[in-house]
Each structure stands twice: as structure tokens, then as C-alpha cells.
Amino acid sequence: MSRFFSTKYKNLKAYTPGEQPRDMQYVKLNTNESPYPPSPSVSAAVMNEVGKLGLYSDPECTELVSEAAKLFGVKPTQILMTNGSDEILNFAFMAFCDEAHPIVFPDITYGFYPVFAELNGIQYEKIPLKDDFSIDINDYIGIGKNIVIANPNAPTGLTLSLNDIQKIIESNPNNVVIIDEAYVDFGTESAVSLIDRYDNLLVTQTFSKSRSMAGARLGFGIGAESLIADLCTIKYSTNPYNVNRMTMAAGVATLRENDYYMENCKKIIATREYTKNELEKLGFFVTDSKANFLFAKSDAIDGETLYLELKKRGVLVRHFTTEKIKDYNRITVGTPEQMDIFLTRVKEILNDIQK
Ligand code: PMP
């Protein structure tokens, strides 16, 4: 730390992204990326922008917002595009939380939430999940604080029903409820259908998982016009050109080929269920994940050892050291071929430790 670093950040613990090692070619199942490439039209759309890189991008993301509005059945004024969904989440913390409006979220969830809170000097509270990692919605009914819930939750993959989400929103009319739908396309009902009914609901989504664009950084928020207007104020006070030209063009092409991406999601769901079943046959406990990852533990081997042994054998998964989940690993669902390699390596490791 330099002697110039602001004292307001001196205790800030930054988010740790999943490792992106370059020492060898891994079967990479650690950051929930899509194993399928973008559609061919995305590459053409990006190439078409290269010659125009000298010009700023459209700060209103007009074409992209218009395509998204058509697809999601909302008005363009109900959408804001951002540099990944991490950015819309940070904007939401900045826009809606302050001393009088702290925020709550589950104790086991996306690790960036406490970082956003601390970065912005916002009080937060972690609400323990039940022993089976599910959310007890009674903990959130009428809590009178802002709320962020990932649905499906990460890293457990467990979901809340739309009905339960509605109860949480309705019982906290004077607070903003953020539903982070980063993994919604892998089998969960979206809360976007509720945005016209509740002016305190913000839904966030991303192109990083189901739309094969993690490296391009594109996310968005959908909510009441008034919420989106506030988020725009934050955006224009931070980085008006937050979505670059190439990403914007890629996003438009992606939304126009929605069927291709939804087919990929179906493949990933089928591979998820196959892998879950195989892991269960090997004695693993696997949560009922509706995301593009599995969350699994085995009594035969502790979480960290399995992670390290897999890494030695060229397969990367994500291990968290948090006490409650240290026995588990989060395994991104790749192609069937990648998952077969993963399963073969797991079998080898289990055999080795029995010797
Ligand atoms: N929410 C959740 C629950 C996530 O797991 C992630 C991915 N790390 C994000 C949001 C952010 O993804 P991105 O910024 O790539 O859109």
C-alpha cells in the first residue's frame, strides 16, 4: 500500500477472481464460462467495428437496448447496459444504499457483494442460509433493508421460486430488492416479468454465462424506469462509454441469435444432470443446481485436496476456503467431453487415495 492510498480503503479486501493460469492448457471448469463459442455472426459484427474504433461508442447503447427490450418484452427505458453485470451491481449499491439503507444478502453467496458494500462504505449483514444451503424467505420478509439475492444462488446453484421472490419484494416496499440472475438461463424462472408491478425490483443479468461473452464484458439491469434513471445518473457520473463498440456489436448479434444460445443452455443442462448423476454414483453429495455449475462434496476426500489433485492432473475447479463450504468444490459444466475427462480424473484420484 502506498502512503497515498485513501484511508477509506485501507481495510478493503478486494474480490479474488477465479484463477486464470497460463502455465498449461487446463480443462477449465472454475469460472462458469460457456464451453461453446459465440455464434459466427458475432465475429463478423465485431470485425465490422474495428475500423471505427477511433470513435467513441454510443453511450445510450441504442441498438443493443432496443434488441434487448424486444427479447425481454420491456421498454428500452427499463434497461441499462453495463460492463459486465458486476458493474450494474456496483452501480446499484452506489445508487440505492447509504447509511439509512444498508443491504442484506445470504452468508453464502456471490463473494463480490460484501466487496461492493465495503468499497462504497455501506453497512451490510449476511443472513445465514439454512443447513441445506436453501434461503429461508422468512428471514427477508419485512426486513426493511435493501436486499440482493442471486437466483440461482452461487456457488450452491439453489433457486427461489418466483412466488417467494414476490413475497420478499412486496414485504419490503420501501427498499430495493436486487435479483442477480447471472445463471437464470440454465433453468430458473426470471423475475423480469415482475418489473412492471414493483418499482423496487431490479433484475440483473449477464452475457458472460449463457451467451458465451465473458471476455467481452456485457451485463445489464432491468427494472422500473425510475430505478434505471437513477442507475443512469451513476453511469454518467462514472463512465458514460462503459460498453465498448466491439462488445456492443457482439451483444446485438448475440441477441438476434437467441435460439443458438438457448440451445447451448439446453445442452449444458443435459450435461449438468449427467455429471451430477455420475458424481452421485461415485458417492458425492451434489446440490440440486439449476446453474451452469455443480456444487459437490465427497466424504472420501476433502474439498481442498480434491481441488489440488485435479489441478495437478490438468483440471481446474473452484474451491472456497470459507468454513461452511470448504468441503465442497464448484465445478463449471463444460462440454460432455470435458466432463468425461473431469470424471475420469476424479475416479483416478479416489482410487489413488484408497491404495
Ligand atoms: N453475479 C454472480 C452470481 C456471478 O457469479 C457473477 C460471475 N462471477 C456475476 C454476477 C458477474 O458476472 P459478469 O460481471 O461477468 O457479468
Side-chain angles (χ1 to χ4, degrees):
M1 191 190 305
S2 82
R3 60 203 163 89
F4 306 106
F5 199 40
S6 169
T7 49
K8 62 178 188 253
Y9 299 128
K10 76 176 191 314
N11 294 323
L12 184 64
K13 287 245 293 300
Y15 176 71
T16 315
E19 56 190 324
Q20 309 281 0
R22 280 166 245 282
D23 57 333
M24 62 181 265
Q25 189 80 35
Y26 286 94
V27 174
K28 200 170 168 303
L29 308 176
N30 69 328
T31 44
N32 299 341
E33 291 136 330
S34 173
Y36 298 109
S39 71
S41 67
V42 169
S43 150
V46 170
M47 286 311 289
N48 195 36
E49 290 302 306
V50 173
K52 299 182 229 161
L53 280 179
L55 303 173
Y56 283 112
S57 59
D58 169 14
E60 291 173 17
C61 302
T62 314
E63 206 184 354
L64 180 57
V65 165
S66 146
E67 282 299 326
K70 261 194 275 168
L71 185 66
F72 292 98
V74 301
K75 290 189 236 156
T77 45
Q78 293 172 314
I79 303 184
L80 178 65
M81 291 288 167
T82 53
N83 191 311
S85 60
D86 283 337
E87 188 176 57
I88 189 91
L89 288 164
N90 188 34
F91 285 176
F93 275 67
M94 289 169 82
F96 307 122
C97 301
D98 55 31
E99 266 166 39
H101 302 92
I103 190 157
V104 299
F105 42 83
D107 62 342
I108 304 296
T109 190
Y110 185 31
F112 225 136
Y113 303 151
V115 181
F116 291 137
E118 279 171 26
L119 175 70
N120 294 300
I122 296 158
Q123 296 286 332
Y124 64 94
E125 191 188 320
K126 293 181 177 181
I127 301 187
L129 293 177
K130 291 200 267 184
D131 286 345
D132 64 359
F133 294 136
S134 64
I135 288 174
D136 184 346
I137 67 150
N138 293 316
D139 291 337
Y140 296 85
I141 299 294
I143 194 165
K145 293 173 182 166
N146 290 342
I147 297 168
V148 57
I149 290 177
N151 194 41
N153 196 12
T156 63
L158 300 185
T159 60
L160 276 185
S161 71
L162 209 49
N163 196 27
D164 281 348
I165 287 176
Q166 207 167 339
K167 284 185 195 152
I168 294 173
I169 300 166
E170 262 174 23
S171 70
N172 292 289
N174 299 320
N175 291 95
V176 176
V177 178
I178 304 164
I179 304 296
D180 175 350
E181 295 188 348
Y183 302 101
V184 74
D185 294 321
F186 304 100
T188 312
E189 213 179 341
S190 170
V192 166
S193 59
L194 301 178
I195 61 147
D196 281 328
R197 262 194 274 172
Y198 303 106
D199 70 352
N200 61 330
L201 166 65
L202 178 71
V203 179
T204 63
Q205 290 194 15
T206 178
F207 282 62
S208 297
K209 318 292 178 185
S210 55
R211 296 190 162 84
S212 306
M213 268 178 60
R217 313 305 300 126
L218 187 59
F220 57 98
I222 302 190
E225 276 179 9
S226 52
L227 288 187
I228 295 298
D230 295 340
L231 291 162
C232 276
T233 303
I234 302 292
K235 162 185 148 131
Y236 282 96
S237 308
T238 314
N239 185 7
Y241 310 105
N242 59 340
V243 181
N244 72 69
R245 277 185 171 275
M246 291 181 294
T247 295
M248 213 176 308
V252 171
T254 296
L255 293 178
R256 289 188 180 146
E257 292 205 85
N258 197 47
D259 290 351
Y260 164 77
Y261 293 96
M262 293 306 117
E263 274 307 310
N264 286 346
C265 289
K266 280 193 203 152
K267 287 195 243 173
I268 291 166
I269 291 169
T271 312
R272 177 185 72 208
E273 296 310 311
Y274 161 78
T275 312
K276 177 173 191 268
N277 200 16
E278 293 299 306
L279 282 173
E280 284 170 348
K281 283 194 225 158
L282 294 173
F284 277 79
F285 168 75
V286 191
T287 62
D288 184 23
S289 171
K290 298 285 181 246
N292 66 339
F293 53 81
L294 290 166
F295 195 54
K297 71 164 178 178
S298 160
D299 287 339
I301 185 164
D302 72 88
E304 189 178 17
T305 307
L306 178 60
Y307 153 73
L308 291 171
E309 288 299 319
L310 281 167
K311 189 170 174 183
K312 268 197 234 161
R313 292 165 169 81
V315 178
L316 269 190
V317 298
R318 183 95 194 244
H319 179 255
F320 300 89
T321 50
T322 316
E323 186 58 31
K324 255 190 174 174
I325 54 171
K326 67 179 181 11
D327 293 342
Y328 286 78
N329 277 294
R330 191 195 67 191
I331 306 130
T332 302
V333 178
T335 59
E337 296 73 27
Q338 287 177 313
M339 299 326 277
D340 279 335
I341 296 173
F342 160 74
L343 288 164
T344 306
R345 298 292 169 262
V346 171
K347 280 179 213 161
E348 284 168 12
I349 295 165
L350 291 180
N351 280 339
D352 282 358
I353 57 167
Q354 273 160 15
K355 276 181 196 156

